[in-house]
Amino acid sequence: MKLLLISLITFVVSAGVRGDKDTFDAIDWSAHQWQAPLPTDSRGPCPGLNTLANHGFLPRNGSNITIPVVLNAIKDGFNFYPTNLLRTAAKIGLLATENADNFSLEELALHGTLEHDVSLSRSDLSCGDHIHFNATVFATLKNSNPGVDYYNATSAGQVLVQRLAEETILSPNLTNTVKELTVRIVESGFYLSVMGNVTTGAAPKKFVQILFEQERLPIEEGWHRSEVPIMDDNFGTLIMAIGKATTWAPSGNIVCPWIRLQPEGYVSIIPPVPGTDRNADDEITNPYIESNPVFFIQ
């Protein structure tokens, strides 16, 4: 199963187009001061995107976000180039909305698109609020890698294992296919690279904690954008290291990777699921997806 995961990550990364390693323009940080969101502003389950909105790299109201807008915001805010992974994620974001070419941050909470079970900082959908920060959930990452002041690829992989074990107790039927694991590994690589060093894979704990807990760039604490552009090659190396540091097997009612195609609708899922004793004529139901269209990757 680990070979399958590594092969999937290798394919996704190698398919990307590498950006030019040119000198990036300086950011006018006076135009990107942190502002707490208003009650009417849209925020979602992704602390990185919420942070970019709080600093004005994304629209501060968190709405009307197009693919070019989100890719440029990630590049400007984090020096993270539009890798194949980011382009794919941005396109999937449009599946969470009825809009033709834009989405809001809250719409990204649609389960089965980018939002997934076993988050690093949010509850599962089946356990309650899966949009807002949850300190109890985040404690697993926050308290990891004891004895040092940084997180790294090894600790990130161990956190993924621990979080899955914790969430499985609370939600035995959670969705845990290779798709969800790949997303979790990419998210782990994201906080290590944008808050730390993409080459070494180490990130200061205080920077990572501020990103998750306050959804703020820790500029006052000494953080700055990566001096090395984060691209397919160096980011791919980092997430491969995280993948090798974790152990995983599919679990729950659904074992085939799947993705929702739109917010509303109905679907009955009939084909057999590998690794289960269900017959081809058995209807497969899942509380997360039984009323929503999905696509299975067989």
Side-chain angles (χ1 to χ4, degrees):
M1 195 60 66
K2 179 171 286 190
L3 179 60
L4 172 63
L5 168 64
I6 294 174
S7 299
L8 178 60
I9 293 176
T10 301
F11 170 78
V12 173
V13 172
S14 61
V17 179
R18 297 179 180 179
D20 296 329
K21 294 186 178 182
D22 54 355
T23 302
F24 49 89
D25 295 334
I27 296 297
D28 179 9
W29 289 103
S30 65
H32 294 285
Q33 297 296 310
W34 182 85
Q35 294 179 19
L38 299 174
T40 55
D41 290 339
S42 177
R43 294 294 184 269
C46 178
L49 295 183
N50 290 345
T51 298
L52 290 175
N54 291 342
H55 281 273
F57 288 101
L58 286 173
R60 291 189 182 271
N61 66 3
S63 300
N64 300 312
I65 299 171
T66 64
I67 290 177
V69 166
V70 70
L71 293 180
N72 286 333
I74 295 172
K75 180 175 179 290
D76 291 343
F78 296 126
N79 201 23
F80 200 133
Y81 275 60
T83 64
N84 188 63
L85 286 169
L86 288 185
R87 288 193 297 271
T88 301
K91 293 174 182 177
I92 292 175
L94 289 177
L95 299 178
T97 180
E98 298 286 1
N99 299 332
D101 61 357
N102 68 86
F103 55 84
S104 70
L105 294 181
E106 187 173 2
E107 286 177 318
L108 297 181
L110 182 69
H111 188 76
T113 50
L114 294 173
E115 194 278 332
H116 56 87
D117 287 336
V118 196
S119 167
L120 294 172
S121 61
R122 268 71 175 168
S123 297
D124 280 3
L125 174 63
S126 63
C127 298
D129 183 0
H130 66 303
I131 297 179
H132 299 97
F133 176 79
N134 185 310
T136 301
V137 171
F138 180 64
T140 304
L141 168 55
K142 184 174 182 176
N143 298 328
S144 65
N145 215 26
V148 295
D149 62 355
Y150 60 86
Y151 305 117
N152 59 18
T154 300
S155 68
Q158 293 170 346
V159 166
L160 295 181
V161 175
Q162 185 176 348
R163 280 290 302 123
L164 180 57
E166 294 167 346
E167 210 63 40
T168 299
I169 296 173
L170 298 174
S171 180
N173 292 323
L174 57 82
T175 305
N176 177 43
T177 75
V178 70
K179 185 203 92 173
E180 283 74 33
L181 178 65
T182 301
V183 173
R184 297 197 293 263
I185 289 175
V186 170
E187 290 171 342
S188 299
F190 185 84
Y191 75 73
L192 289 177
S193 60
V194 302
M195 289 291 107
N197 187 309
V198 66
T199 303
T200 65
K205 289 183 175 180
K206 63 179 180 180
F207 292 172
V208 174
Q209 291 166 13
I210 289 172
L211 177 73
F212 278 92
E213 295 175 333
Q214 302 180 32
E215 296 184 338
R216 173 174 68 85
L217 296 176
I219 300 170
E220 297 176 0
E221 291 77 11
W223 173 88
H224 56 79
R225 293 192 313 160
S226 174
E227 295 180 357
V228 177
I230 304 169
M231 297 190 294
D232 284 299
D233 50 2
N234 51 20
F235 188 71
T237 299
L238 175 56
I239 62 175
M240 287 288 289
I242 298 171
K244 291 178 180 178
T246 190
T247 57
W248 173 83
S251 59
N253 286 343
I254 304 298
V255 296
C256 293
W258 64 279
I259 190 168
R260 278 171 64 167
L261 298 181
Q262 64 186 59
E264 304 296 338
Y266 176 81
V267 66
S268 293
I269 308 166
I270 299 177
V273 174
T276 74
D277 58 0
R278 297 186 178 99
N279 297 321
D281 294 332
D282 292 338
E283 182 177 4
I284 303 169
T285 59
N286 183 290
Y288 301 146
I289 63 174
E290 61 185 359
S291 298
N292 301 282
V294 299
F295 172 68
F296 276 89
I297 305 171
Q298 298 286 0

